[in-house]
Amino acid sequence: MEDAAQSAPESRDERFAACLSRLEELKAIKARREVLEERVFLEFLRSNRGRINEFPLLETEQQSLMDMLLRRAEGLHGGHEHVKDRFSAYLLELNHYGKAKAVGDAGEQEKLARRLERVETVLAKCLQGAVYASSLIKDHFSDAVIRHFGEDSLAKIEEITSTLVFDEHYWKAYIERFIKEEVRGAYDVILADRRYRLSRDGQLLIVAFPFDAVLEKLQGTTKAISKTRVQTAFEEASSAPEGRAVTEAALAALNRADIPGWDRRADRDEVLFAAQVAAMDAAAADYRAAMAEGISTPEAEARLEALYEQTVALCVGAAVSLRVVREDFSRALRDFAPKERAYILQVAGSFDAARLGLVLENIMEFDFASLLREKGEADAGRIQVRAARARRVSREAVDALAETGLGKVRRKQFFDDDADRPDSLLLRPKNPGEFQERLKLFQIEPELARSLVALWENASFKVELFVCINLTALGKVATNLPARVTEVLGRYGIAPPGAQEPARTKNPT
């Protein structure tokens, strides 16, 4: 492969020549179709790097982008066929252009060059959408890791980014090198500090582990993290009035595009994300401006149509990239229970910056639960691991609602003190239905209701994990129950006093 740092072809004809040369070279050796597509696609990517913002300089990133759009999206997203069709159209036009160039027909060559350039630009916008989306997700996630694990995590982040393709292995590396290491280290601290609690409820012996003890071990940072160019552009597209207007134009363009296999009504969050990503690019802003100007000449109509195609291509590239990333992320979570994996993916959504802190904490919680299940695996039928979760918000945020009508009586109906954190409160409602019922029952005014809903949606969680040992079931397989309990607790690093004789398994009768 050519050096990614080599300067990009400066002119249209140089770009065409580079890709045509690679195409003819592969045709001459009768390369397989998939090999030809891959090599020409990579050549196209490198040849157009001067036209793609935030172009991936690392070879692993270029390979990942090609693999994402041509291979991994197949069967995952209807937009994959749209991208493949654009690439097939590019190869066809490039072939026609090459033939005209070979016979020296200057007039035909220029005519075909203009057609090829239009197809080339649309394909480049597919790439641009995917580059923006992938870069944004990686930037958001690395920021969340830095906030939770501190600035010392930068070296690990850079190693993962520079050595791994952006696929399942990328996400697994984050889970292994940050979350699993942290959880196992925190477990040792919990045992050393005796942060667990032993209790009995009927025939259940319960060991309670506070998840707060895991979070407290994190050496995070509260320093402001500088936004990347991609994050800044996305924020403007999402929040600034001009950016929202461009997003609306991109959304309208996408909704009228014919893309079989993509149910945009069912994937509204994905569609909105795609339009916001498209709004980061000048082509989408030009499309909105052209729509506002109206069509007065055939040239204006042709320009509007070209900008429409480019805007849709940006949206498709972003949406396909998001879908593949979600699938890769899901695969990296395969060690978790299906319900846990589904919950994490639901929280992650479109990898919004505001959600990823919770995503990290959810993964840590479920990994902690997985560790507890592993330790009790020999008695899996007699031990259950359960979790109790309560939404937690800052006391300061709740105090601020007094000005909008949250008096003492109402406050007691929605919040309890957090015995473990004086600066926090726990929401009393256990689920969204119960929360909505209380809003109605206490006739909460619209302004206050919106504030309470925001607290509910953005709340973190206080979590306790419980290892529940069924003594009746355990007694059926051991002749000395106290010794067997000691053995089971010993697997968790807990040694209750008074344990003497080791347990003996009963002989089957």
Side-chain angles (χ1 to χ4, degrees), residues 144-217:
V145 169
I146 293 168
R147 287 192 185 95
H148 277 71
F149 298 94
E151 294 173 84
D152 290 344
S153 62
L154 279 168
K156 286 183 182 180
I157 291 171
E158 288 174 2
E159 181 187 353
I160 291 170
T161 301
S162 62
T163 60
L164 294 175
V165 171
F166 189 37
D167 61 9
E168 171 188 350
H169 301 290
Y170 176 93
W171 295 113
K172 284 185 76 70
Y174 266 108
I175 293 170
E176 291 289 338
R177 299 184 196 183
F178 288 102
I179 292 167
K180 286 186 179 294
E181 288 182 12
E182 200 67 41
V183 165
R184 278 141 189 78
Y187 187 80
D188 293 338
V189 172
I190 290 171
L191 294 181
D193 295 346
R194 296 186 65 84
R195 291 286 298 274
Y196 56 85
R197 299 191 315 275
L198 280 170
S199 63
R200 178 137 180 200
D201 183 4
Q203 286 302 302
L204 288 180
L205 178 63
I206 300 171
V207 189
F209 294 91
F211 185 63
D212 279 355
V214 178
L215 299 179
E216 288 165 9
K217 186 176 176 294

Side-chain angles (χ1 to χ4, degrees), residues 392-396 398 411 416-426 460:
R392 169 189 268 160
V393 296
S394 75
R395 184 181 293 272
E396 183 180 0
V398 176
R411 179 172 172 141
D416 282 327
D417 289 337
D418 185 342
D420 297 313
R421 286 193 187 176
D423 61 345
S424 297
L425 295 172
L426 302 176
S460 59

Side-chain angles (χ1 to χ4, degrees), residues 92-165:
L92 182 64
E93 293 295 343
L94 183 63
N95 197 47
H96 290 331
Y97 170 81
K99 290 179 179 178
K101 185 178 181 181
V103 299
D105 187 339
E108 185 67 12
Q109 183 179 335
E110 180 57 31
K111 175 184 173 182
L112 291 170
R114 288 193 296 270
R115 280 173 39 185
L116 178 58
E117 186 173 23
R118 177 167 177 166
V119 175
E120 176 198 51
T121 300
V122 171
L123 182 58
K125 292 304 180 185
C126 288
L127 290 171
Q128 182 67 83
V131 167
Y132 276 151
S134 299
S135 299
L136 184 69
I137 291 168
K138 287 193 279 189
D139 290 346
H140 282 346
F141 198 80
S142 64
D143 283 0
V145 169
I146 293 168
R147 287 192 185 95
H148 277 71
F149 298 94
E151 294 173 84
D152 290 344
S153 62
L154 279 168
K156 286 183 182 180
I157 291 171
E158 288 174 2
E159 181 187 353
I160 291 170
T161 301
S162 62
T163 60
L164 294 175
V165 171

Side-chain angles (χ1 to χ4, degrees), residues 54 135-136 139 143 225-233:
E54 306 303 322
S135 299
L136 184 69
D139 290 346
D143 283 0
I225 301 174
S226 299
K227 289 184 173 63
T228 64
R229 289 189 298 269
V230 170
Q231 288 173 311
T232 300

Side-chain angles (χ1 to χ4, degrees), residues 220-505:
T221 180
T222 57
K223 292 181 181 179
I225 301 174
S226 299
K227 289 184 173 63
T228 64
R229 289 189 298 269
V230 170
Q231 288 173 311
T232 300
F234 184 78
E235 191 173 278
E236 290 174 355
S238 306
S239 306
E242 178 63 23
R244 288 199 299 269
V246 177
T247 295
E248 288 297 322
L251 197 58
L254 180 56
N255 283 332
R256 74 181 181 91
D258 182 19
I259 307 175
W262 185 8
D263 185 353
R264 276 151 284 176
R265 289 174 298 180
D267 302 319
R268 291 180 181 178
D269 289 345
E270 180 182 84
V271 169
L272 177 59
F273 173 81
Q276 289 170 333
V277 169
M280 296 163 61
D281 194 83
D286 291 343
Y287 172 68
R288 175 180 175 265
M291 286 285 289
E293 290 171 6
I295 299 171
S296 56
T297 65
E299 291 77 12
E301 183 176 7
R303 180 173 181 272
L304 180 62
E305 182 61 26
L307 290 170
Y308 164 77
E309 291 177 357
Q310 292 172 32
T311 301
V312 171
L314 285 160
C315 292
V316 171
V320 169
S321 178
L322 174 62
R323 187 75 66 88
V324 173
V325 169
R326 281 178 60 83
E327 178 67 16
D328 291 338
F329 187 53
S330 177
R331 289 176 181 275
L333 300 170
R334 279 181 295 191
D335 290 343
F336 298 109
K339 285 184 178 180
E340 293 172 342
R341 187 165 66 246
Y343 183 82
I344 293 169
L345 289 170
Q346 180 186 358
V347 174
S350 300
F351 295 87
D352 301 335
R355 294 186 178 192
L356 291 180
L358 285 176
V359 169
L360 280 175
E361 291 181 14
N362 289 151
I363 297 174
M364 294 182 75
E365 175 195 333
F366 295 145
D367 186 60
F368 192 37
S370 177
L371 175 64
L372 296 177
R373 283 194 292 265
E374 286 174 17
K375 291 181 179 295
E377 193 171 5
D379 287 290
R382 294 169 284 276
I383 298 175
Q384 284 189 320
V385 176
R386 300 173 183 170
R389 313 173 87 238
R391 278 179 163 81
R392 169 189 268 160
V393 296
S394 75
R395 184 181 293 272
E396 183 180 0
V398 176
D399 289 345
L401 298 184
E403 298 177 3
T404 54
L406 188 68
K408 290 184 179 179
V409 174
R410 285 172 158 183
R411 179 172 172 141
K412 288 181 179 179
Q413 298 302 321
F414 283 90
F415 301 99
D416 282 327
D417 289 337
D418 185 342
D420 297 313
R421 286 193 187 176
D423 61 345
S424 297
L425 295 172
L426 302 176
L427 277 151
R428 295 186 67 185
K430 303 301 181 186
N431 54 62
E434 187 178 333
F435 177 69
Q436 289 295 332
E437 280 298 319
R438 293 199 183 205
L439 290 177
K440 293 177 183 176
L441 179 63
F442 296 98
Q443 299 178 336
I444 304 299
E445 297 81 2
E447 182 182 354
L448 178 57
R450 284 192 293 270
S451 298
L452 288 170
V453 168
L455 281 180
W456 174 273
E457 291 179 345
N458 296 310
S460 59
F461 286 92
K462 178 179 182 176
V463 180
E464 282 197 300
L465 293 156
F466 302 95
V467 174
C468 304
I469 304 168
N470 188 318
L471 298 177
T472 300
L474 202 61
K476 293 179 180 179
V477 294
T479 55
N480 186 328
L481 181 59
R484 186 58 186 269
V485 169
T486 298
E487 177 192 325
V488 171
L489 291 177
R491 292 187 215 132
Y492 290 92
I494 299 170
Q500 297 178 7
E501 184 183 344
R504 297 191 302 274
T505 302

